[in-house]
Amino acid sequence: MSGIVGQVGARSGIVGSTTNSTQLDYEEGDIPNPLQVSGSAITNYSSFTTALAYYIKIGNVCRVSYLINNGNVDIGTGAMTLDLPFTAHSKNWSQARFTSYVAGSGWSYDWNCRIYNGSSIVDLYAGSNASGTFNSAGTGNRIMDVGMSYMIA
């Protein structure tokens, strides 16, 4: 670490020499309307218990975090996906586990999420072999706690 703000150093945020420096690209923010059911965006979150979706982008790597609890609101039926703030790189392959709660079934830790190359959504799957989708059944509490990183285009 250089110890001098604005000078080259391991933690200064500047890459290269002091005469030809480039700041790392940094951005953070909320992801609006992050949840989709059967390909349709959910746009009204006012009755949800929790609806948080946030990202931090540094260079070409983006970290996304979602905590969504529909609070027994009817959100339709079908496969649930999450929107990404940036399209994934064509050579990206990201996978992570996530925890969920399904009314009547309790907490489950055996869910996978994937971001395929060139995709703009997070696919949510059942089980470790991604054999089924994480579905909404209309009413019934669904909680998703997802966090993962991916390369952007």
Side-chain angles (χ1 to χ4, degrees), residues 7 13 21 24 29-30 46-47 62 67 92 106 112 132 143 146:
Q7 296 296 312
S21 60
L24 294 174
D30 295 322
S46 61
S47 297
C62 186
L67 179 57
N92 181 79
N112 281 311
I143 302 172
V146 179

Side-chain angles (χ1 to χ4, degrees), residues 78-151:
M80 298 170 69
T81 58
L82 300 169
D83 279 347
L84 293 170
F86 305 98
T87 300
H89 191 278
S90 63
K91 296 185 190 252
N92 181 79
W93 178 263
S94 298
Q95 182 171 335
R97 290 244 198 226
F98 74 97
T99 57
S100 67
Y101 176 86
V102 178
S105 299
W107 285 98
S108 173
Y109 305 95
D110 194 24
W111 296 94
N112 281 311
C113 50
R114 290 185 182 162
I115 302 172
Y116 291 100
N117 50 8
S119 180
S120 60
I121 61 171
V122 179
D123 291 307
L124 307 173
Y125 293 100
S128 58
N129 62 359
S131 59
T133 56
F134 185 70
N135 288 321
S136 167
T139 59
N141 199 19
R142 295 279 194 273
I143 302 172
M144 293 172 288
D145 184 359
V146 179
M148 62 191 309
S149 298
Y150 70 103
M151 294 186 328

